[in-house]
Each structure stands twice: as structure tokens, then as C-alpha cells.
Amino acid sequence: MEITVFSNLKGGIAKTTTSVNKAHILATVHNKRVLLIDDDKQGNASKFYRLHGYDHPSIADVLIEKNYDIHNAIQHTRYANLDMIAANMNLLTANLKISMDESREQQTILKKALEQVESEYDYCIIDNAPDINISIINSLVAAHSVIVPIKIDQYSFDGLEILVDQFEEVRKFNPDLNFRGCLVTQYVNNEVNRQGKAYLTDQTQYPIFATHIRRTADKVDESTFAGLPIVEYSPRCGAAKDYLSFVEEYLGDKQ
Ligand SMILES: Nc1ncnc2c1ncn2[C@@H]1O[C@H](COP(=O)(O)OP(=O)(O)O)[C@@H](O)[C@H]1O
Ligand SMILES: [Mg+2]
């Protein structure tokens, strides 16, 4: 099972949109077994797949309960190959509880829990909150790779250095963590976006995906209301095509 985390200190840059759509494309187009984990107390990815609520165990239980059977927190989506661990506001107190619990190693709880389903899924995708807290550190310690979605605007690169420094910190626990790349999202074909992408490509050492995700006014927002992945909601729109290309690039199918 390959574990990939979507992280950025900023909100509104399409971490959740990318996580839910990548999970859907891997499961339905590439026929992979996928586990999507919502690691944001806002629970947007959970709401997207209609799995938000308080009646079922969530990521908070996985993180707090000792010797927890992670299967208890896994729910099926309506897609055969796509399962999910949801999040809700319980993650807020879970973060505090883990930080105060000195009876066990706080950073490796999720990594150990995910070992239970190592052979049950091909891919695990974790959608993070715009933050650095102990549940996010847990996701980075568990992961093989991290992808940083970026929306190019005046503030796009704020916090990027802090985030990348954090990856370095996490390597104490997870030396092989691979910064797989920045993914430019909500791309508009204008000077600011062209220059921003060129800056990322040529003037930083950060890796970057060749594919960018075009801003597709209305369709992406509508798809979240409909709770439908973009390739189902509007298969011909730019964002749908770009997410398909992104997943191909991620899988290394592109020449
Ligand atoms: N390619 C896109 N085109 C248009 N709107 C988008 C696109 N990607 C994301 N959005 C919209 O941007 C907003 C923020 O996206 P979201 O995935 O929730 O960001 P984050 O998880 O980083 O906070 C949402 O309203 C979403 O519908
Ligand atoms: Mg989000």
C-alpha cells in the first residue's frame, strides 16, 4: 500500500478536491483498491462522500484508542474499490489528547495502525488540514510521499518553506518520506499563473508536477454540492481532464 499525503498550511487551495478526486480516479479508472483518510476536523472529504457524522468511529478513534482495530473506522463509499476513514470535530480533542499522552510514541500511531491494512489496499490517500499538528505529523510519518497543492496568487508561496522544513523534521521518524511534488491547482491561463508556475519550476528546488489543474468555474463547486467526483459530474470539463492526467503522471504512465 502506497501512502500519499496532501498537505499545505493554506486552506482553499484544493487539498480536499484533489484528494477526493484522485481517490475516485484511482479506484474507478485504474481499478485500484483505495483507502481515503480525512485528517481534517472540518470533515470536508467525509461530507463529499456522505460519510460525515458522529455515529461511526472516525480518524479520532484510530489516533486515541490503544491497540485499535482500524477496520472499525473504515466505511465503504458507493464505489466498490473506495473505502474511507472519516473525520469530524472529535479530531480537535484527539489532537490534544495525543499530545498529552506520554505513555507511547505520539508520532507513529497512524503508521502502526495502517500496517493492519497494508495488504488490503493499493493506495492510501490522506487529506490534511491547513495546519501542523500531531495528527498531521502522524500522517507524514506514515506516508511514503507528500504532495503540496498550490494555488497561484499573491500569497501562494507563504508558509511553503515552513512546510518543507517540517518534512525535514518528520524525516527523523520517516527517513524515506518523498516530497513528490507541488501540484498547481485552480490554474488560470494568465500572466500571474504562467510566471508562478515558471518560478516554481525554474527557481526553487521543489519538485513540481508537469500537469496543472485548471480552474473550472462552477463545475468543481457544483460537483461538491452534488457529492460527485468531477469525472462523473462533468467529464469533459478542464478540471476532470486535468485530474485524469495528474493521476496518470502520478502513476508514472506518462512518457
Ligand atoms: N479546479 C478548480 N476549479 C474551480 N474551483 C475549484 C477547483 N479546485 C477547487 N475548487 C474550489 O475551491 C474551494 C477550495 O477547495 P478545497 O478542495 O476545499 O480546498 P482545501 O481543502 O485546500 O481547503 C472549493 O470551493 C472548491 O470547490
Ligand atoms: Mg480541505
Short mmCIF file of all heavy atoms in Angstrom, two decimals, residues 38 40-59 75-77 84-91:
data_model
loop_
_atom_site.label_atom_id
_atom_site.label_comp_id
_atom_site.label_asym_id
_atom_site.label_seq_id
_atom_site.Cartn_x
_atom_site.Cartn_y
_atom_site.Cartn_z
N ASP A 38 -9.66 11.11 5.86
CA ASP A 38 -9.90 12.52 6.14
C ASP A 38 -9.15 12.86 7.43
O ASP A 38 -9.45 12.28 8.49
CB ASP A 38 -11.40 12.77 6.29
CG ASP A 38 -11.74 14.25 6.29
OD1 ASP A 38 -10.82 15.07 6.44
OD2 ASP A 38 -12.94 14.57 6.14
N ASP A 40 -8.82 16.08 8.59
CA ASP A 40 -9.16 17.49 8.83
C ASP A 40 -10.47 17.50 9.61
O ASP A 40 -11.48 16.95 9.14
CB ASP A 40 -9.31 18.21 7.48
CG ASP A 40 -9.60 19.70 7.64
OD1 ASP A 40 -9.96 20.13 8.77
OD2 ASP A 40 -9.50 20.42 6.64
N LYS A 41 -10.47 18.12 10.77
CA LYS A 41 -11.67 18.13 11.62
C LYS A 41 -12.88 18.76 10.91
O LYS A 41 -14.02 18.51 11.29
CB LYS A 41 -11.39 18.83 12.95
CG LYS A 41 -11.05 20.31 12.83
CD LYS A 41 -10.74 20.90 14.18
CE LYS A 41 -10.42 22.39 14.14
NZ LYS A 41 -9.40 22.79 13.16
N GLN A 42 -12.64 19.58 9.89
CA GLN A 42 -13.76 20.16 9.12
C GLN A 42 -14.55 19.06 8.41
O GLN A 42 -15.72 19.27 8.05
CB GLN A 42 -13.25 21.15 8.06
CG GLN A 42 -12.43 22.31 8.61
CD GLN A 42 -13.21 23.20 9.56
OE1 GLN A 42 -14.45 23.23 9.51
NE2 GLN A 42 -12.52 23.87 10.45
N GLY A 43 -13.89 17.96 8.12
CA GLY A 43 -14.60 16.80 7.56
C GLY A 43 -15.12 17.00 6.14
O GLY A 43 -16.10 16.36 5.74
N ASN A 44 -14.46 17.84 5.35
CA ASN A 44 -14.99 18.11 4.01
C ASN A 44 -14.94 16.89 3.09
O ASN A 44 -15.88 16.64 2.34
CB ASN A 44 -14.25 19.29 3.36
CG ASN A 44 -14.57 20.61 4.05
OD1 ASN A 44 -15.54 20.68 4.82
ND2 ASN A 44 -13.78 21.63 3.80
N ALA A 45 -13.86 16.13 3.17
CA ALA A 45 -13.76 14.92 2.32
C ALA A 45 -14.84 13.93 2.75
O ALA A 45 -15.46 13.26 1.91
CB ALA A 45 -12.36 14.31 2.43
N SER A 46 -15.09 13.85 4.06
CA SER A 46 -16.13 12.94 4.57
C SER A 46 -17.51 13.38 4.09
O SER A 46 -18.34 12.56 3.71
CB SER A 46 -16.12 12.93 6.10
OG SER A 46 -14.81 12.85 6.59
N LYS A 47 -17.73 14.70 4.12
CA LYS A 47 -19.03 15.22 3.65
C LYS A 47 -19.19 14.93 2.16
O LYS A 47 -20.28 14.58 1.70
CB LYS A 47 -19.12 16.73 3.91
CG LYS A 47 -19.29 17.06 5.40
CD LYS A 47 -19.20 18.56 5.67
CE LYS A 47 -19.13 18.82 7.16
NZ LYS A 47 -18.61 20.15 7.51
N PHE A 48 -18.10 15.08 1.43
CA PHE A 48 -18.16 14.84 -0.02
C PHE A 48 -18.69 13.44 -0.31
O PHE A 48 -19.54 13.25 -1.18
CB PHE A 48 -16.76 15.02 -0.64
CG PHE A 48 -16.76 14.93 -2.14
CD1 PHE A 48 -17.00 16.06 -2.91
CD2 PHE A 48 -16.55 13.72 -2.77
CE1 PHE A 48 -17.03 15.97 -4.30
CE2 PHE A 48 -16.57 13.63 -4.15
CZ PHE A 48 -16.82 14.76 -4.92
N TYR A 49 -18.17 12.45 0.44
CA TYR A 49 -18.62 11.07 0.21
C TYR A 49 -19.79 10.67 1.11
O TYR A 49 -20.09 9.50 1.26
CB TYR A 49 -17.43 10.10 0.35
CG TYR A 49 -16.57 10.11 -0.91
CD1 TYR A 49 -15.27 10.60 -0.89
CD2 TYR A 49 -17.09 9.65 -2.11
CE1 TYR A 49 -14.50 10.63 -2.06
CE2 TYR A 49 -16.35 9.68 -3.27
CZ TYR A 49 -15.06 10.16 -3.25
OH TYR A 49 -14.32 10.19 -4.41
N ARG A 50 -20.43 11.69 1.69
CA ARG A 50 -21.64 11.48 2.50
C ARG A 50 -21.37 10.54 3.68
O ARG A 50 -22.23 9.73 4.04
CB ARG A 50 -22.80 10.92 1.65
CG ARG A 50 -23.09 11.72 0.37
CD ARG A 50 -23.76 13.04 0.69
NE ARG A 50 -24.33 13.70 -0.48
CZ ARG A 50 -23.86 14.83 -1.03
NH1 ARG A 50 -22.79 15.44 -0.53
NH2 ARG A 50 -24.48 15.37 -2.06
N LEU A 51 -20.19 10.66 4.28
CA LEU A 51 -19.84 9.80 5.40
C LEU A 51 -19.53 10.60 6.67
O LEU A 51 -18.96 10.07 7.62
CB LEU A 51 -18.65 8.90 5.04
CG LEU A 51 -18.93 7.88 3.92
CD1 LEU A 51 -17.66 7.14 3.53
CD2 LEU A 51 -20.00 6.88 4.34
N HIS A 52 -19.89 11.86 6.66
CA HIS A 52 -19.64 12.69 7.84
C HIS A 52 -20.71 12.42 8.89
O HIS A 52 -21.88 12.27 8.56
CB HIS A 52 -19.65 14.16 7.45
CG HIS A 52 -19.29 15.07 8.59
ND1 HIS A 52 -20.25 15.68 9.38
CD2 HIS A 52 -18.09 15.43 9.09
CE1 HIS A 52 -19.64 16.40 10.30
NE2 HIS A 52 -18.34 16.27 10.16
N GLY A 53 -20.29 12.34 10.15
CA GLY A 53 -21.27 12.15 11.22
C GLY A 53 -20.57 11.73 12.49
O GLY A 53 -19.33 11.71 12.55
N TYR A 54 -21.38 11.41 13.50
CA TYR A 54 -20.83 11.04 14.81
C TYR A 54 -21.26 9.65 15.25
O TYR A 54 -20.99 9.24 16.36
CB TYR A 54 -21.21 12.11 15.85
CG TYR A 54 -20.47 13.41 15.58
CD1 TYR A 54 -20.98 14.33 14.66
CD2 TYR A 54 -19.26 13.70 16.20
CE1 TYR A 54 -20.29 15.51 14.38
CE2 TYR A 54 -18.57 14.87 15.93
CZ TYR A 54 -19.08 15.77 15.02
OH TYR A 54 -18.39 16.92 14.74
N ASP A 55 -21.93 8.92 14.35
CA ASP A 55 -22.43 7.58 14.72
C ASP A 55 -21.41 6.49 14.45
O ASP A 55 -21.60 5.35 14.87
CB ASP A 55 -23.70 7.25 13.92
CG ASP A 55 -24.80 8.26 14.20
OD1 ASP A 55 -24.75 8.85 15.31
OD2 ASP A 55 -25.66 8.46 13.33
N HIS A 56 -20.38 6.83 13.71
CA HIS A 56 -19.42 5.80 13.29
C HIS A 56 -18.03 6.23 13.74
O HIS A 56 -17.72 7.42 13.73
CB HIS A 56 -19.49 5.67 11.76
CG HIS A 56 -18.85 4.43 11.24
ND1 HIS A 56 -17.49 4.32 11.02
CD2 HIS A 56 -19.38 3.23 10.91
CE1 HIS A 56 -17.21 3.11 10.59
NE2 HIS A 56 -18.33 2.42 10.50
N PRO A 57 -17.16 5.26 14.14
CA PRO A 57 -15.80 5.65 14.51
C PRO A 57 -15.09 6.39 13.37
O PRO A 57 -15.37 6.14 12.19
CB PRO A 57 -15.12 4.30 14.78
CG PRO A 57 -16.23 3.36 15.10
CD PRO A 57 -17.42 3.83 14.31
N SER A 58 -14.19 7.29 13.74
CA SER A 58 -13.52 8.14 12.75
C SER A 58 -12.02 8.09 13.01
O SER A 58 -11.53 7.34 13.86
CB SER A 58 -14.03 9.57 12.89
OG SER A 58 -13.59 10.10 14.13
N ILE A 59 -11.30 8.95 12.33
CA ILE A 59 -9.84 9.01 12.48
C ILE A 59 -9.46 9.32 13.93
O ILE A 59 -8.42 8.86 14.43
CB ILE A 59 -9.23 10.06 11.48
CG1 ILE A 59 -7.71 10.07 11.53
CG2 ILE A 59 -9.78 11.45 11.71
CD1 ILE A 59 -7.04 8.85 11.01
N GLN A 75 -15.15 2.85 6.42
CA GLN A 75 -16.51 2.79 5.85
C GLN A 75 -16.42 2.63 4.33
O GLN A 75 -15.45 3.09 3.72
CB GLN A 75 -17.27 4.09 6.16
CG GLN A 75 -17.37 4.39 7.64
CD GLN A 75 -18.29 5.58 7.90
OE1 GLN A 75 -19.50 5.50 7.71
NE2 GLN A 75 -17.70 6.68 8.35
N HIS A 76 -17.44 2.02 3.75
CA HIS A 76 -17.48 1.89 2.29
C HIS A 76 -18.11 3.14 1.68
O HIS A 76 -19.09 3.65 2.21
CB HIS A 76 -18.30 0.67 1.88
CG HIS A 76 -17.75 -0.62 2.42
ND1 HIS A 76 -16.45 -1.03 2.18
CD2 HIS A 76 -18.32 -1.57 3.18
CE1 HIS A 76 -16.25 -2.18 2.78
NE2 HIS A 76 -17.35 -2.54 3.41
N THR A 77 -17.56 3.59 0.59
CA THR A 77 -18.25 4.62 -0.19
C THR A 77 -19.15 3.89 -1.18
O THR A 77 -19.21 2.66 -1.20
CB THR A 77 -17.26 5.49 -0.99
OG1 THR A 77 -16.68 4.68 -2.02
CG2 THR A 77 -16.16 6.06 -0.10
N MET A 84 -13.18 4.55 3.10
CA MET A 84 -12.80 5.82 3.72
C MET A 84 -12.81 5.77 5.24
O MET A 84 -13.64 5.08 5.84
CB MET A 84 -13.82 6.86 3.23
CG MET A 84 -13.66 8.18 3.88
SD MET A 84 -14.39 9.51 2.95
CE MET A 84 -13.43 10.82 3.70
N ILE A 85 -11.89 6.50 5.85
CA ILE A 85 -11.96 6.80 7.28
C ILE A 85 -12.32 8.29 7.38
O ILE A 85 -11.59 9.14 6.85
CB ILE A 85 -10.62 6.51 7.99
CG1 ILE A 85 -10.28 5.02 7.89
CG2 ILE A 85 -10.70 6.96 9.46
CD1 ILE A 85 -8.95 4.64 8.52
N ALA A 86 -13.44 8.57 8.01
CA ALA A 86 -13.95 9.94 8.04
C ALA A 86 -13.35 10.73 9.20
O ALA A 86 -12.66 10.18 10.07
CB ALA A 86 -15.48 9.90 8.16
N ALA A 87 -13.60 12.03 9.19
CA ALA A 87 -13.17 12.90 10.28
C ALA A 87 -14.34 13.78 10.70
O ALA A 87 -15.25 14.06 9.91
CB ALA A 87 -12.01 13.78 9.84
N ASN A 88 -14.28 14.20 11.94
CA ASN A 88 -15.25 15.17 12.44
C ASN A 88 -14.57 15.98 13.55
O ASN A 88 -13.35 15.85 13.75
CB ASN A 88 -16.54 14.47 12.94
CG ASN A 88 -16.22 13.40 13.98
OD1 ASN A 88 -15.35 13.60 14.83
ND2 ASN A 88 -16.91 12.28 13.91
N MET A 89 -15.34 16.77 14.26
CA MET A 89 -14.75 17.66 15.27
C MET A 89 -14.04 16.91 16.41
O MET A 89 -13.27 17.51 17.15
CB MET A 89 -15.82 18.60 15.84
CG MET A 89 -16.15 19.73 14.90
SD MET A 89 -14.74 20.87 14.73
CE MET A 89 -15.22 21.74 13.24
N ASN A 90 -14.30 15.62 16.54
CA ASN A 90 -13.59 14.84 17.56
C ASN A 90 -12.08 14.87 17.34
O ASN A 90 -11.30 14.61 18.26
CB ASN A 90 -14.05 13.38 17.57
CG ASN A 90 -15.47 13.25 18.08
OD1 ASN A 90 -15.97 14.15 18.73
ND2 ASN A 90 -16.12 12.13 17.76
N LEU A 91 -11.68 15.18 16.12
CA LEU A 91 -10.24 15.24 15.82
C LEU A 91 -9.56 16.38 16.59
O LEU A 91 -8.37 16.31 16.90
CB LEU A 91 -10.03 15.39 14.31
CG LEU A 91 -8.61 15.28 13.78
CD1 LEU A 91 -7.90 14.02 14.24
CD2 LEU A 91 -8.61 15.35 12.24
#
